[in-house]
Amino acid sequence: MKVLLLGGTTEARRLASMIDGEADVVTSLAGRTTEPLRPAGEVRVGGFGGVDGLARYLRDARIDAVVDATHPFAATISGNAAVACGASGVPLLILRRPGWTAVPGDEWHRVASLPEAAGRLPRLGRRVFLTTGRQGIAHFAALDDCWFLARSVEPPTGTVPRHLEVLLGRGPFTVAAERDLITRHRVDVLVTKDSGGSDAKLVAARELGIPVLMVNRPAAPDATTVSTADAALSWLRTLDR
C-alpha cells in the first residue's frame, strides 16, 4: 500500500512514523520553511501544480490513499486534494487536530479572516503579540499606532508593520514562558489563528486577563475526518485488508 501524506504538522510527522515500515509513505511538504522537521519515510517538497497536477501525481505514483494532515489553514491544498481524490477515485482522509474552545475567564473575539482581525485590532489593544505565522504579518502593516511582537519559525518577508519586533521560535512553548513573554513586553492583546494543538499562549492570556483576537478556521472539505494519528492509522488499515 502506498500512502500520500500531505504534511507539515505534528500529527503528520507522528502518523508518518507509525506508517513507516507498515506501508510506503510519501510525505509532501509545502516548502515554506527552509529547515522543516523531516518525517519518517520518503519526503517531497513543493506544490503539485493545482488539481490536475495532483491528480496526475496520484496516478503516476500509484497512490492508494491520501491523508490530508496539513495545517487547518492550508485551505488551497486541502481543497485541491478533495477534488483530485474524487476525480481519481483515491480514498481521502482528513486528519485535523481539534480547534480551541473558550473556557470561563477567556475574552475571545472571533473573526473570519486576517484582514478583519487587522480592522478590529486597534479597539482591543496597542501592544500586540502576533502569532499568525510570517505570511500573515503583512495584513497588519498599515497599523502604525500599534507595536507588534511577531513570533514565527522564519523571518517575515515583504511588507511589515512599522513598529515590529520579530521573535524566531518553534513550539511547543510552556505556559510559564508565554506568561513571562507577555508580561515582559507589556502585551495587551494576543492575535492568533484557531490552529488547535498546544494552547500555552491562550492559558497565559487567560491568566493575565489579556483579550484574544481569534481568526476562525476556513471550512474543511466534505470528507471523512479524524482528529488523531491513531485514528488515521486505523482508517488506513481498513483499506489494506
Side-chain angles (χ1 to χ4, degrees):
M1 185 178 187
K2 190 169 185 180
V3 179
L4 174 63
L5 178 55
L6 304 177
T9 61
T10 301
E11 294 78 14
R13 290 189 294 274
R14 182 163 185 264
L15 180 59
S17 296
M18 296 166 71
I19 298 173
D20 191 38
E22 188 168 321
D24 291 333
V25 58
V26 180
T27 296
S28 177
L29 301 177
R32 291 177 179 171
T33 57
T34 56
E35 296 183 5
L37 298 176
R38 295 183 72 85
E42 183 181 342
V43 177
R44 70 175 301 280
V45 179
F48 293 93
V51 172
D52 291 342
L54 178 53
R56 185 165 52 252
Y57 177 85
L58 297 178
R59 181 184 65 249
D60 294 347
R62 299 181 181 276
I63 298 297
D64 298 301
V66 175
V67 178
D68 174 8
T70 55
H71 191 278
F73 284 79
T76 299
I77 183 59
S78 291
N80 288 351
V83 176
C85 287
S88 305
V90 176
L92 169 67
L93 178 74
I94 297 177
L95 170 56
R96 285 285 186 278
R97 67 185 72 156
W100 290 313
T101 302
V103 301
D106 286 327
E107 182 191 340
W108 290 6
H109 304 263
R110 285 192 174 271
V111 293
S113 66
L114 286 171
E116 185 180 348
R120 291 190 60 179
L121 180 56
R123 287 174 276 171
L124 296 175
R126 298 296 172 129
R127 294 189 64 83
V128 186
F129 186 19
L130 187 61
T131 63
T132 58
R134 63 173 180 159
Q135 293 183 315
I137 295 175
H139 292 284
F140 301 86
L143 300 181
D144 289 343
D145 292 336
C146 293
W147 176 88
F148 292 89
L149 174 67
R151 183 167 64 199
S152 58
V153 175
E154 295 187 355
T157 57
T159 307
V160 298
R162 180 179 178 184
H163 307 291
L164 172 69
E165 180 176 334
V166 176
L167 178 64
L168 300 182
R170 192 196 300 266
F173 305 98
T174 66
V175 173
E178 299 290 64
R179 188 169 54 238
D180 176 71
L181 188 69
I182 291 172
T183 302
R184 184 158 30 93
H185 288 89
R186 296 179 289 116
V187 166
D188 58 14
V189 60
L190 166 66
V191 182
T192 193
K193 298 192 293 189
D194 188 4
S195 303
S198 173
D199 65 348
K201 58 182 175 290
L202 299 176
V203 175
R206 182 188 313 134
E207 293 178 353
L208 295 170
I210 301 298
V212 177
L213 194 51
M214 180 76 69
V215 182
N216 290 332
R217 297 178 174 193
D222 183 13
T224 301
T225 302
V226 297
S227 60
T228 67
D230 294 273
L233 181 60
S234 296
W235 179 85
L236 287 169
R237 285 172 173 166
T238 65
L239 300 179
D240 200 28
R241 288 176 181 170

